[in-house]
């Protein structure tokens, strides 16, 4: 066990966000001078100079020779990423699997694997196993700086604790702490929407947006909120629990204890269980096949789900005045059937002067949540100033032997 002092998670500072943005733009664009970085990101020259210096000190960025690029006038001094100087691991969790990715700091994925998962027992051992497998495939496993884990549910990031995950049947599970001790690396546990939102701010579709909502549709239903390029989270990690907004007090009982939550209508398992037809589709692929076959009853069912989602998102748009929405998640494969009701619900709810909204549906891959977790791990490693020569000694939370308590 590391003897380094305990360092709890903290909210990323503006400087940390700036460093992550600089990494992101260098990863996408390649060599840039400090002035070019400042112009592209809308940051002050002094901020860029200070944060590039910090990134160089930590070993993430290197400076190139001033004459390595042509140009008139004062010579530019470009900088570039050192892509393989550090590696992050990202793991997404579903009720049946752990999907892990290994990512370089320029976003290149160098390893992916999926393992079956049982969320009811020996959880820490299963996570330790997948992390060990990912590290064993690396030529330089010592370059791993952090691990990110994305979970559907309410996560207290300051304590690395899953407060409640109805999809995994976990309650008050200090996952990050126990895993930290087992692998001796910084471990960041986050709600999946928070992880994706953090990644989008620095590395994805939200990079050029100061404010946006990220609607996640999958086993869980969540809504990430980005305001002034900061990902919002409330006390105890409750800010992304959009799925537990009650939209019908007379609706079905949700496992969270409330009635008529969006989760019971739009969660992927709940959609599969409620879909019309003999026995209903047993999988997302089966649902897609039934829709493609022209099942009118099923199309109407999905249109109704989209309508509930649209009205609910519309209320958030009115509350926050944020008119950019990114839609992501497994269920986006059904967006053609959901979108009509979604747009109708928005149209009936959103204040007219806020229309039209900017809505983007993000292409989904099975590794999306894991890549989001890896992006969060990189972002947080930077915010905690984890230098490449001293990364193994950082402890990010108190340690515990706890296994998850089931939701009652």
């Amino acid at each position: 066990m590391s003897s380094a002092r305990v360092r709890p998670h903290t909210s990323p500072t503006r400087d940390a966000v700036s460093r992550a943005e600089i990494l992101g733009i260098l990863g996408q664009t390649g060599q840039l001078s400090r002035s070019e970085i400042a112009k592209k990101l809308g940051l002050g020259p002094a901020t860029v100079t200070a944060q590039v210096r910090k990134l160089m000190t930590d070993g993430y960025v290197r400076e190139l020779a001033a004459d390595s690029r042509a140009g008139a006038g004062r010579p530019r001094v470009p900088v570039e990423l050192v892509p393989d100087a550090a590696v992050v691991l990202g793991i997404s969790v579903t009720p049946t699997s752990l999907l892990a990715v290994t990512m370089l700091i320029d976003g290149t994925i160098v390893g992916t694997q999926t393992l079956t998962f049982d969320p009811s027992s020996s959880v820490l051992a299963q996570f330790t196993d997948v992390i060990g497998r990912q590290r064993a495939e690396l030529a330089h496993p010592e370059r791993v700086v952090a691990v990110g884990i994305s979970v559907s549910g309410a996560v207290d990031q300051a304590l690395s604790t899953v407060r409640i995950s109805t999809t995994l049947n976990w309650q008050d599970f200090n996952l990050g702490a126990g895993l930290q001790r087992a692998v001796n690396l910084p471990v960041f546990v986050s709600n999946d929407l928070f992880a994706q939102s953090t990644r989008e701010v620095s590395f994805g579709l939200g990079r050029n947006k100061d404010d946006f909502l990220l609607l996640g549709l999958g086993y869980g239903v969540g809504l990430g909120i980005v305001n002034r390029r900061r990902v919002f989270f409330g006390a105890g990690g409750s800010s992304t629990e959009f799925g537990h907004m009650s939209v019908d007090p007379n609706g079905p009982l949700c496992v969270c204890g409330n009635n008529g939550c969006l989760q019971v209508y739009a969660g992927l398992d709940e959609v599969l269980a409620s879909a019309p037809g003999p026995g209903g589709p047993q999988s997302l692929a089966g649902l897609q096949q039934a829709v493609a076959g022209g099942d009118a009853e099923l199309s109407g069912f999905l249109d109704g789900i989209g309508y509930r989602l649209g009205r609910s998102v519309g209320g958030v748009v009115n509350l926050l005045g944020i008119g950019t929405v990114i839609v992501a998640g497994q269920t986006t494969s059904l967006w053609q059937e959901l979108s009509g009701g979604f747009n109708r619900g928005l149209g009936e709810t959103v204040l007219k002067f806020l229309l039209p909204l900017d809505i983007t549906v993000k292409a989904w891959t099975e590794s999306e949540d894991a890549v989001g977790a890896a992006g969060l791990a990189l972002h947080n490693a930077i915010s905690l100033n984890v230098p490449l020569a001293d990364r193994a000694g950082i402890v990010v939370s108190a340690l515990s032997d706890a296994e998850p308590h089931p939701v009652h």
Side-chain angles (χ1 to χ4, degrees):
M1 184 177 72
S2 170
S3 61
R5 68 185 180 89
V6 171
R7 294 186 63 176
H9 297 320
T10 57
S11 176
T13 65
R14 179 59 211 176
D15 285 348
V17 173
S18 297
R19 287 195 293 276
E21 290 174 331
I22 291 168
L23 278 187
I25 194 67
L26 288 174
Q28 293 177 353
T29 308
Q31 302 175 10
L32 291 171
S33 68
R34 292 165 178 77
S35 62
E36 289 169 328
I37 293 170
K39 183 177 180 180
K40 286 180 177 291
L41 295 179
L43 298 172
T47 296
V48 170
T49 296
Q51 300 317 317
V52 167
R53 183 183 300 117
K54 175 61 180 171
L55 288 168
M56 290 175 61
T57 299
D58 287 346
Y60 293 105
V61 169
R62 61 189 166 209
E63 189 172 77
L64 302 177
D67 61 352
S68 64
R69 293 178 51 177
R74 183 178 179 180
R76 293 190 180 95
V77 181
V79 295
E80 66 177 7
L81 292 183
V82 183
D84 61 350
V87 179
V88 289
L89 306 182
I91 304 173
S92 63
V93 187
T94 79
T96 59
S97 66
L98 297 178
L99 194 155
V101 300
T102 303
M103 188 177 82
L104 304 182
I105 64 172
D106 64 352
T108 300
I109 303 300
V110 295
T112 303
Q113 65 176 311
T114 302
L115 278 70
T116 57
F117 178 60
D118 178 1
S120 65
S121 65
S122 302
V123 172
L124 294 180
Q126 293 179 80
F127 276 100
T128 302
D129 179 51
V130 72
I131 291 170
R133 289 170 182 259
Q134 289 294 95
R135 296 179 78 180
E137 293 181 357
L138 295 171
H140 299 282
E142 75 281 359
R143 293 182 182 176
V144 176
V145 296
V147 178
I149 299 174
S150 68
V151 175
S152 175
V155 179
D156 188 332
Q157 295 181 97
L159 299 175
S160 295
T161 298
V162 181
R163 287 302 182 195
I164 185 169
S165 172
T166 57
T167 60
L168 299 171
N169 198 34
W170 289 351
Q171 185 170 357
D172 293 327
F173 177 27
N174 198 340
L175 171 60
L179 193 56
Q180 162 69 50
R181 179 173 62 184
V183 301
N184 196 32
L185 284 168
V187 176
F188 302 98
V189 183
S190 175
N191 169 272
D192 50 3
L193 262 294
F194 187 94
Q196 284 192 49
S197 299
T198 300
R199 175 175 173 263
E200 293 299 330
V201 167
S202 299
F203 310 113
L205 293 175
R207 185 175 59 79
N208 296 319
K209 306 287 186 180
D210 289 337
D211 312 283
F212 63 89
L213 305 175
L214 180 63
L215 174 63
L217 302 177
Y219 289 102
V221 179
L223 191 72
I225 301 168
V226 176
N227 179 236
R228 298 181 182 178
R229 304 196 60 74
R230 296 289 296 272
V231 184
F232 175 79
F233 64 96
S238 61
S239 59
T240 58
E241 289 303 302
F242 182 64
H244 295 290
M245 177 187 294
S246 178
V247 294
D248 182 358
N250 299 314
L253 180 67
C254 180
V255 291
C256 75
N258 294 327
N259 289 86
C261 294
L262 276 174
Q263 178 70 37
V264 303
Y265 299 108
L268 183 53
D269 279 342
E270 290 79 0
V271 170
L272 292 171
S274 303
Q282 301 302 306
S283 65
L284 180 58
L287 197 61
Q288 293 169 307
Q289 185 176 4
V291 167
D295 187 323
E297 185 180 11
L298 182 56
S299 293
F301 168 74
L302 294 173
D303 182 84
I305 293 172
Y307 180 70
R308 287 185 186 274
L309 288 168
R311 288 189 62 85
S312 301
V313 171
V316 177
V317 169
N318 287 345
L319 180 67
L320 301 178
I322 296 177
T324 297
V325 181
I326 300 172
V327 186
Q330 296 99 313
T331 316
T332 54
S333 61
L334 300 170
W335 189 249
Q336 185 172 349
E337 303 298 323
L338 295 168
S339 61
F342 184 81
N343 291 329
R344 193 168 67 254
L346 285 176
E348 294 176 5
T349 310
V350 175
L351 294 168
K352 304 310 176 189
F353 66 82
L354 292 175
L355 295 172
L357 302 184
D358 176 9
I359 300 174
T360 303
V361 180
K362 185 176 181 180
W364 175 257
T365 65
E366 287 299 320
S367 63
E368 195 69 25
D369 279 342
V371 173
L376 176 80
L378 177 58
H379 185 102
N380 284 356
I382 295 168
S383 74
L384 286 178
N385 299 323
V386 179
L388 302 189
D390 188 37
R391 56 195 174 279
I394 300 297
V395 178
V396 295
S397 57
L399 302 177
S400 170
D401 289 314
E403 287 285 307
H405 302 293
V407 178
H408 296 295

